[in-house]
Amino acid sequence: MSIPIGSGHGLTNLEGREDFDIVWPWNQPGGLRRGATAVLRVKNEAPGLRFVLPPLLRACDHVLLVDNGSDDGTGEEALRVATEHGLSDRFTLKEYPFEVARAGAEHLAVNERSVHSLAYFYNWCFSHVRTRYSWKWDGDMVLTTEGEVSMADLSWQVGMAEAVIRFPRHGLYIESDRKAYLDLGLRNIEEWGFPMSPDYVYAKAPEWEIRTTPERIEMFALPQGLCVELKWLDGDEFAHWTNPESFATSIRNRRKRREWLVWNALHDGQVPEGVVEIESPEGVHVVDHVTHAWLPRAPRPFVVDDPDHAKLHLRA
C-alpha cells in the first residue's frame, strides 16, 4: 500500500537542495489559522498584475505570489500594486529559482520529487500557506465586480470548511487597451478552492500536476461571469506547454484545444462562433470595462445572439 504524499513531515527533493525542502504547513508551529489564501505561481505576468491583484487582495485574507524566474519585473510590479492599493500587509512575495518543466511531454519526463517538477513546485508554493483554505489562482485571472464580492463572502465561510469550490472563467483575448474578444463559447469551470490538509496535495499526472482529494468531498460550483483569464494577443500564450499542437490529439485538453483555436483564428483576422468582440469607452481600459461594467450587466445565461458575427446584445 502506497504512503499518501501529504503524510509525514514533508518532502525532500532529488537535487538535495535542503533550502527548498517542503514542510507541510499543517505541521508548522501553531498550525493553520482560519481564512483563505490565494496562491499565484507566475512567470512574466507583470502587464496584467494591476488588474489581477487589487480585487484578489480585497477578497482574500492573504495573497502569496511565487515568482518563477521572471525577467519582466513581475515581482517588483506585484509589490508596487499591493502598496499602491494599501494592501501590502495582505501580500507575500517569494521566489522559486529553478526552471520548471513545461506541461506535456517535458513534464512527463521529470521525476515528481525533482525541484523541476510541476508537482514539486506547486507543493512548495502551497507549503507557505498559513490559512486553512487556499485558492489556486493564476497570474492572469481577474475577478469581476461580482466575482470579488463572491470570493470575499466565500473566503470567510470556507475558512473552516472541507469543501472544494469550482470557479468558472472566460478567456479574454486582448488586442489593445480598448479592444478585446471574450470567449463565451467555452464553459470552463475548474476546481480552484481547496482546504489545506494532507488530503489535498499535488501529485504528478500525465500532462500536468493534479491536486489529490478524498473519495468523498463536498463540491460547490460558482456561476458564470465572475472571472476572466487575460490572454495578450501580442504575447506567447502557450510558452508553458511543450508542444501546443498536441492539444489536437489529447483527450485531456478540450479547454486548450478551444484556446488554441480561438487564438489562431483571431490572429488570422477571424472571430470564431461564441466569441464576443468588445470595445471599451475612451479612457477606460478594456479589462476594467469588461470586469466592472460589461460582464456584470450581461444577462445570464450567456447567449450569443448572432453566431455569425459573435455579438452578444445586452438586454435591459
Side-chain angles (χ1 to χ4, degrees), residues 63-281:
V63 172
L64 167 66
L65 185 144
V66 181
D67 188 4
N68 182 215
S70 297
D71 56 17
D72 68 345
T74 287
E76 293 84 353
E77 174 67 0
L79 288 169
R80 184 196 69 78
V81 172
T83 301
E84 180 183 290
H85 288 265
L87 295 167
S88 57
D89 59 321
R90 295 189 178 193
F91 180 74
T92 298
L93 172 67
K94 289 192 175 292
E95 295 185 4
Y96 191 80
F98 309 106
E99 186 172 345
V100 177
R102 292 173 295 174
E106 196 172 290
H107 157 74
L108 187 61
V110 175
N111 189 291
E112 186 175 22
R113 296 289 287 272
S114 168
V115 295
H116 305 289
S117 162
L118 273 170
Y120 193 91
F121 174 44
Y122 273 57
N123 280 323
W124 186 86
C125 293
F126 280 84
S127 73
H128 294 87
V129 171
R130 295 296 177 262
T131 55
R132 292 177 181 162
Y133 203 81
S134 64
W135 296 101
K136 172 180 174 281
W137 209 252
D138 287 349
D140 55 7
M141 290 168 57
V142 183
L143 289 165
T144 65
T145 302
E146 295 171 296
E148 180 183 335
V149 173
S150 296
M151 180 179 264
D153 286 344
L154 281 168
S155 287
W156 72 265
Q157 293 182 55
V158 299
M160 296 286 289
E162 283 287 325
V164 172
I165 298 176
R166 303 177 70 202
F167 216 114
R169 68 189 193 275
H170 310 278
L172 183 66
Y173 297 78
I174 303 167
E175 181 177 300
S176 68
D177 286 356
R178 290 190 57 200
K179 189 174 182 179
Y181 301 87
L182 183 64
D183 187 8
L184 300 176
L186 173 66
R187 299 200 173 190
N188 179 45
I189 181 166
E190 296 181 34
E191 299 169 358
W192 290 98
F194 297 89
M196 291 295 299
S197 81
D199 290 325
Y200 301 90
V201 296
Y202 284 95
K204 183 176 179 177
E207 292 181 299
W208 51 72
E209 80 298 328
I210 189 171
R211 203 154 186 173
T212 61
T213 56
E215 289 186 10
R216 301 185 66 177
I217 58 172
E218 281 192 275
M219 186 174 292
F220 302 96
L222 298 181
Q224 298 180 70
L226 302 186
C227 179
V228 298
E229 185 176 22
L230 306 182
K231 300 180 182 299
W232 307 91
L233 287 171
D234 61 353
D236 189 356
E237 173 62 24
F238 304 98
H240 58 294
W241 277 87
T242 307
N243 177 22
E245 294 181 358
S246 67
F247 300 156
T249 57
S250 172
I251 61 173
R252 292 178 290 275
N253 276 326
R254 175 176 169 269
R255 176 173 66 87
K256 285 299 177 185
R257 281 199 300 275
R258 171 67 179 182
E259 292 174 357
W260 183 247
L261 181 153
V262 172
W263 177 270
N264 285 290
L266 292 174
H267 274 277
D268 291 339
Q270 303 172 12
V271 180
E273 182 175 341
V275 176
V276 184
E277 181 182 326
I278 301 175
E279 188 170 325
S280 65

Side-chain angles (χ1 to χ4, degrees), residues 182 184 276-279 289-290 292-306 310-316:
L182 183 64
L184 300 176
V276 184
E277 181 182 326
I278 301 175
E279 188 170 325
H289 176 61
V290 170
H292 299 326
W294 199 96
L295 268 173
R297 290 173 50 216
R300 273 46 164 192
F302 297 132
V303 177
V304 178
D305 294 334
D306 184 356
K311 298 288 186 181
L312 185 148
H313 304 287
L314 299 182
R315 304 176 181 84

